[in-house]
């Protein structure tokens, strides 16, 4: 049973557009929400993280929004560039748990 | 310097064979993981070791056996390979538990014919 649901499965956006990926979770004990980025042929790498006491976090063109009451969080990629074309995974875990629960992934394609 | 390395990068083998994948990390981390990524890119945790002790053992067939000779190494041995074992296997490490960044290796692409 997947503990983190992610959508859409894939999206195509024009260069300069906004990519939006949504995730939802059920376990209210989750308190750490990272996003990983994976380029073709490579391993996933940490992109950005957020904790539930923060509603928004921005790093460059990447912004995470967090809605604790709705148990949802999302990644916005502003001014999307062809180099952002990758698969993005949301994830969640509990502070004292070694297990990171991943969403199913979203493949983003940015057209020039 | 590669933080998390895996060997081999590619592995093509016949059904029924036994194979091993090796993983090494030079980050000084206490925790290491094995993940399986299927053709739909879904990442599934298989095993995790903390200080050489098995702490996560998901519902993985017992044909898969991890071994951690020391904190820096975590190997995966697979017996009697099946077609469904074809996937990319990633090793990862972190300094501690769930709220810490996991650093992934480049992956081992296993194809069972």
């Amino acid at each position: 049973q997947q503990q983190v649901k992610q959508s859409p499965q894939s999206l195509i956006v024009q260069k300069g557009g906004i990519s939006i990926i949504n995730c939802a979770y059920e376990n209210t004990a989750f308190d750490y929400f990272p996003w990983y980025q994976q380029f073709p042929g490579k391993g996933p790498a940490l992109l950005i993280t957020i904790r539930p006491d923060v509603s928004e976090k921005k790093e460059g063109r990447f912004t995470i929004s967090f809605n604790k009451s709705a148990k949802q969080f999302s990644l916005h990629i502003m001014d999307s560039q062809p180099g952002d074309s990758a698969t993005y995974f949301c994830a969640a875990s509990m502070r004292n748990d070694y297990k990171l629960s991943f969403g199913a992934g979203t493949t983003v394609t940015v057209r020039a | 310097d590669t933080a998390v390395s895996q060997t081999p990068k590619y592995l093509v083998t016949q059904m029924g064979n036994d194979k091993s994948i090796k993983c090494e990390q030079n980050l000084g981390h206490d925790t290491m993981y094995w993940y399986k990524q299927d053709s739909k890119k879904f990442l599934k945790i298989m095993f995790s070791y903390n200080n050489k002790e098995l702490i996560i053992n998901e519902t993985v067939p017992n044909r898969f056996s991890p071994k951690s000779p020391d904190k820096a190494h975590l190997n995966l041995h697979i017996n009697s390979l099946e077609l469904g074992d074809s996937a990319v296997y990633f090793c990862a490490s972190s300094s501690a538990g769930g709220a810490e960044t996991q650093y992934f290796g480049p992956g081992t692409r296993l194809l069972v014919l």
Side-chain angles (χ1 to χ4, degrees):
Chain A
Q1 183 182 356
Q2 211 167 331
Q3 296 206 53
V4 180
K5 291 184 169 30
Q6 182 173 349
S7 62
Q9 186 176 3
S10 63
L11 67 93
I12 299 173
V13 63
Q14 291 296 119
K15 181 180 173 183
I18 302 173
S19 304
I20 301 174
I21 303 169
N22 298 303
C23 290
Y25 64 98
E26 286 299 324
N27 188 344
T28 55
F30 285 150
D31 60 1
Y32 174 68
F33 300 89
W35 286 85
Y36 280 78
Q37 179 188 52
Q38 183 181 24
F39 292 107
K42 304 291 186 185
L46 182 69
L47 179 66
I48 187 171
T49 68
I50 197 165
R51 295 203 182 266
D53 54 345
V54 176
S55 61
E56 186 174 282
K57 183 175 181 179
K58 186 175 181 180
E59 287 187 4
R61 295 181 294 104
F62 298 90
T63 299
I64 305 178
S65 299
F66 191 88
N67 185 331
K68 188 174 180 179
S69 60
K71 291 183 286 186
Q72 295 175 346
F73 57 113
S74 61
L75 175 69
H76 289 61
I77 307 174
M78 314 301 284
D79 186 26
S80 296
Q81 300 297 312
D84 297 331
S85 296
T87 300
Y88 294 81
F89 295 92
C90 60
S93 75
M94 293 176 280
R95 191 178 305 272
N96 296 320
D97 189 0
Y98 286 89
K99 186 176 174 181
L100 192 56
S101 296
F102 282 92
T106 298
T107 299
V108 174
T109 303
V110 182
R111 294 255 165 91
Chain B
D1 277 347
T2 304
V4 182
S5 59
Q6 295 178 230
T7 55
K9 190 169 182 178
Y10 299 96
L11 193 49
V12 181
T13 188
Q14 299 288 329
M15 261 193 340
N17 283 351
D18 302 339
K19 291 293 179 186
S20 291
I21 307 172
K22 295 186 176 182
C23 177
E24 177 181 0
Q25 55 95 3
N26 63 7
L27 297 167
H29 288 163
D30 289 338
T31 309
M32 296 185 72
Y33 308 80
W34 278 112
Y35 286 89
K36 179 181 180 181
Q37 186 171 49
D38 61 23
S39 58
K40 295 183 179 178
K41 298 185 181 176
F42 184 67
L43 272 169
K44 179 177 164 55
I45 181 77
M46 300 174 70
F47 302 103
S48 178
Y49 272 75
N50 179 258
N51 281 322
K52 300 197 299 175
E53 180 185 344
L54 182 65
I55 54 171
I56 295 176
N57 186 352
E58 292 292 287
T59 50
V60 177
N62 56 16
R63 297 182 295 104
F64 290 79
S65 53
K67 279 193 174 56
S68 182
D70 55 58
K71 279 195 336 180
H73 296 85
L74 180 61
N75 303 323
L76 183 65
H77 187 75
I78 316 170
N79 288 328
S80 304
L81 277 155
E82 300 177 358
L83 294 176
D85 297 332
S86 296
V88 181
Y89 292 84
F90 286 101
C91 176
S93 74
S94 67
S95 59
E100 299 295 329
T101 302
Q102 291 190 18
Y103 294 83
F104 284 78
T108 295
R109 284 142 189 84
L110 172 64
L111 178 61
V112 182
L113 301 174

